[in-house]
Amino acid sequence: MKKYLFGLIGLLFASNAVAHGMSASDKQRILDAGLMEYIELGASHMLTGYDHLLFLFGVIFFLTRFNDIIKFITAFTLGHSITLIFATLYGIQANYYLVDAVIALTVCYKAFENLDGFKRYLNSRSPNLTWMVLGFGLIHGFGLSTRLQQLPLGDEGIVMKIIAFNVGVEVGQIAALAIMLFLLSGWRKTESFSRFSRASNIGLMLTGGLLLMMQLHGYQHTTFTEEFPLNRDDHSHVHEDMQAATLPAALESYQQPISLKPKATETTDTEPAPAAAPSTHSHEGGTPHTH
């Protein structure tokens, strides 16, 4: 069972490795792009950034007052704007898998806080949420910066390009939040919200944990190349083969080959069919006998 769990994680990494960062088409499109293209790229990147969206979903999950929503989203926006702009402008980089692993932890944290985990399990009050969301925003912005720095930004107009990308991120964030708030506001009016809100946040925490393992798996393959010698393409092919294999085939690969004796009524190319009557024989000069 354990090998299938690691196989699943590896398979998820394979798809994540292909989609991680900016695609080749994005890099080609941005070579001669104007500010509008940077805005579009920022918006699309936020709308496809499942880790950022999961964190935002956790933040607004129980928020019903408009002022509270504005306060926390403003704190998050301020945080990720600071690191997105300044980390990109000054070329501050880090391994993007490790950055995304920390972002996955922020998803787990918010789900844990939604479950009242600090009071229930740690017998303490949860830290000030506004400051935590601001701090987590700084981390998310650093993750966005690692993506943006994969593009050929050039030196001309780089500040405006970064700001345009950040504006696009905010546009995508507003669009995603509008959909989330619409769905949550409708769900809160039903009886199922009180029954399944806890299960939803448990699922959010488990998803964050899975994302964490995926990112750490990616970090191992990009950093410890001697211990993990497969390159990215080979790694993807291995897990694609694992996905295509059936369960019996997968189990067979871990077993020693077993030679089975043909049935008495069958014949093979190398062994003649057995005689109709038993033959008399002896073992190493012993008494002749039959079976």
Side-chain angles (χ1 to χ4, degrees):
M1 184 63 183
K2 185 183 295 186
K3 61 176 175 286
Y4 295 112
L5 176 59
F6 284 107
L8 174 61
I9 296 171
L11 178 61
L12 291 173
F13 163 73
S15 61
N16 183 58
V18 174
H20 204 289
M22 294 295 184
S23 65
S25 61
D26 285 338
K27 295 179 180 180
Q28 182 62 36
R29 181 163 58 96
I30 215 68
L31 285 175
D32 300 315
L35 297 181
M36 186 55 65
E37 283 79 11
Y38 276 89
I39 293 175
E40 293 176 357
L41 187 62
S44 64
H45 193 74
M46 172 55 79
L47 290 174
T48 56
Y50 46 80
D51 44 3
H52 304 294
L53 298 179
L54 286 172
F55 177 76
L56 288 173
F57 181 74
V59 170
I60 67 171
F61 191 85
F62 287 117
L63 298 182
T64 56
R65 296 175 54 191
F66 182 76
N67 290 341
D68 290 336
I69 296 173
I70 294 298
K71 178 178 68 174
F72 289 117
I73 297 306
T74 299
F76 180 71
T77 300
L78 179 62
H80 76 66
S81 297
I82 290 173
T83 46
L84 171 58
I85 293 173
F86 286 99
T88 307
L89 187 60
Y90 291 101
I92 303 172
Q93 297 183 352
N95 185 286
Y96 43 72
Y97 285 109
L98 283 184
V99 176
D100 282 0
V102 178
I103 291 176
L105 284 177
T106 68
V107 176
C108 295
Y109 176 93
K110 193 64 191 76
F112 182 76
E113 200 262 352
N114 286 349
L115 292 167
D116 201 19
F118 285 94
K119 182 179 179 181
R120 188 187 300 268
Y121 302 108
L122 303 179
N123 196 27
S124 64
R125 296 181 58 182
S126 59
N128 184 280
L129 185 57
T130 305
W131 287 108
M132 294 302 297
V133 170
L134 175 64
F136 290 156
L138 295 171
I139 299 172
H140 283 248
F142 195 33
L144 291 167
S145 176
T146 61
R147 303 302 197 280
L148 185 55
Q149 291 186 63
Q150 295 176 20
L151 297 177
L153 299 176
D155 297 325
E156 184 177 353
I158 185 172
V159 175
M160 292 305 300
K161 292 176 181 178
I162 297 172
I163 293 176
F165 182 83
N166 190 53
V167 169
V169 168
E170 305 313 323
V171 172
Q173 179 176 285
I174 292 172
L177 283 171
I179 297 173
M180 292 180 193
L181 289 170
F182 175 77
L183 295 176
L184 283 172
S185 62
W187 187 26
R188 290 191 187 103
K189 298 176 182 178
T190 65
E191 295 181 356
S192 64
F193 182 78
S194 58
R195 294 202 305 268
F196 295 107
S197 60
R198 178 175 175 81
S200 298
N201 280 281
I202 291 175
L204 185 64
M205 180 181 292
L206 293 176
T207 304
L210 180 60
L211 292 176
L212 173 64
M213 289 189 288
M214 288 171 56
Q215 302 303 339
L216 292 179
H217 185 82
Y219 175 73
Q220 289 176 320
H221 279 271
T222 56
T223 304
F224 304 105
T225 54
E226 293 183 359
E227 290 80 357
F228 297 88
L230 288 177
N231 63 41
R232 182 170 297 182
D233 291 334
D234 289 340
H235 187 273
S236 299
H237 290 312
V238 167
H239 289 296
E240 287 172 1
D241 293 340
M242 290 173 60
Q243 184 183 31
T246 60
L247 179 60
L251 290 174
E252 184 179 355
S253 66
Y254 289 94
Q255 296 175 347
Q256 296 294 330
I258 300 175
S259 177
L260 299 177
K261 183 179 179 181
K263 295 181 180 179
T265 57
E266 296 178 348
T267 60
T268 64
D269 294 336
T270 58
E271 182 179 344
S279 60
T280 302
H281 61 278
S282 63
H283 298 288
E284 296 183 358
T287 303
H289 63 278
T290 61
H291 293 292

